[in-house]
Amino acid sequence: MKILMVLTSHDRMGDTGHATGFWLEEFVAPYYVFKDAGAELTLASPKGGQPPIDPTSTQPDALTEETRRFEADSEAKAQLANTRKLAEVRADDYDAVFYPGGHGPLWDLTQDRHSQQLIHDFLVARKPVAAVCHAPAVLVHAQGRDGQSVVKGHRVTGFSNSEEDAVGLTDVVPLLVEDALKEKGGHYERADADFDAFQLRDGLLITGQNPASSAPTAKLLLDALTG
């Protein structure tokens, strides 16, 4: 299995002066799900090189068994420091793609034409596309063969409006993931309680709601590849 993981290159939280990027758990939990299953992983980002890690995701209350494993994994850290430029990767070379979240993707990957083309190419080739937390926003402007958003008519999830409100960033982010998915015709679903794990698969689209959903979303992608 060859899996592409696409991370954000955006490091500023709007005009707040605060840093952002990708959420560490949402990268490392899927990374190790894939790695432990024997997958060959390629990491990419719009600018290439080291993508920014949201500093909040490295605070003690955000750390997990997987983030601690990553901290001791020099090979994984070296791979992360040398992501390929997104414009240089092609869907033909991979079996699936996974987008970790964090707030960063809302600013760059959601609008990135290379990302949009990549998602289109994966789906046209009947290869699964997965995204977790804020990253399902990258799907909304990607188009299928019919020229419509790839989420139209599909069951999808992502960071909910109430979760964004809970972290106090509703008025900072350029879009709300839940609203964006609904506006493009996605059938949005979510967990009963904020921050509970929730993930689903509808055809080739696999989405997870929040950080707790990272590993389960990755396992759904593995199921799609091996089932």
Side-chain angles (χ1 to χ4, degrees):
M1 294 179 292
K2 294 183 178 181
I3 300 175
L4 177 66
M5 298 186 76
V6 180
L7 297 121
T8 182
S9 292
H10 186 84
D11 65 357
R12 306 312 301 170
M13 186 74 76
D15 58 5
T16 64
H18 296 298
T20 190
F22 71 89
W23 196 262
L24 185 59
E25 180 187 8
E26 295 171 24
F27 163 63
V28 297
Y31 179 91
Y32 288 119
V33 167
F34 300 145
K35 200 80 171 175
D36 292 347
E40 179 182 329
L41 298 176
T42 298
L43 312 183
S45 62
K47 294 181 180 178
Q50 174 71 53
I53 301 173
D54 188 319
T56 307
S57 71
T58 65
Q59 296 303 304
D61 63 350
L63 299 182
T64 65
E65 180 180 338
E66 290 84 5
T67 63
R68 295 183 183 92
R69 178 179 175 184
F70 175 75
E71 276 307 308
D73 189 340
S74 57
E75 180 182 341
K77 288 196 283 189
Q79 188 176 14
L80 180 64
N82 294 279
T83 65
R84 295 185 60 186
K85 286 188 176 180
L86 189 56
E88 298 173 355
V89 299
R90 299 168 65 248
D92 289 348
D93 297 328
Y94 306 98
D95 300 308
V97 61
F98 187 98
Y99 286 80
H103 283 91
L106 300 183
W107 275 275
D108 63 353
L109 288 172
T110 300
Q111 304 294 335
D112 190 284
R113 63 183 180 86
H114 298 297
S115 177
Q116 293 167 16
Q117 185 64 50
L118 198 65
I119 292 166
H120 170 88
D121 292 346
F122 269 98
L123 294 176
V124 167
R126 306 300 299 167
K127 297 175 179 180
V129 173
V132 69
C133 200
H134 287 87
V138 307
L139 302 172
V140 298
H141 297 303
Q143 297 180 351
R145 288 183 186 274
D146 59 1
Q148 300 291 321
S149 169
V150 299
V151 305
K152 185 176 181 181
H154 286 86
R155 298 169 60 222
V156 287
T157 190
F159 207 57
S160 67
N161 290 354
S162 57
E163 287 169 325
E164 200 69 78
D165 188 58
V167 298
L169 292 169
T170 299
D171 296 328
V172 174
V173 293
L175 61 87
L176 295 172
V177 178
E178 177 181 339
D179 286 352
L181 292 170
K182 290 176 177 177
E183 287 165 6
K184 289 296 184 178
H187 300 310
Y188 181 83
E189 300 179 25
R190 53 157 297 162
D192 291 335
D194 286 349
F195 305 106
D196 280 357
F198 182 80
Q199 57 284 327
L200 55 82
R201 174 185 174 189
D202 188 349
L204 296 169
L205 288 184
I206 298 163
T207 48
Q209 183 178 328
N210 47 38
S213 313
S214 300
T217 302
K219 290 173 183 174
L220 281 182
L221 181 59
L222 282 184
D223 290 344
L225 288 173
T226 60

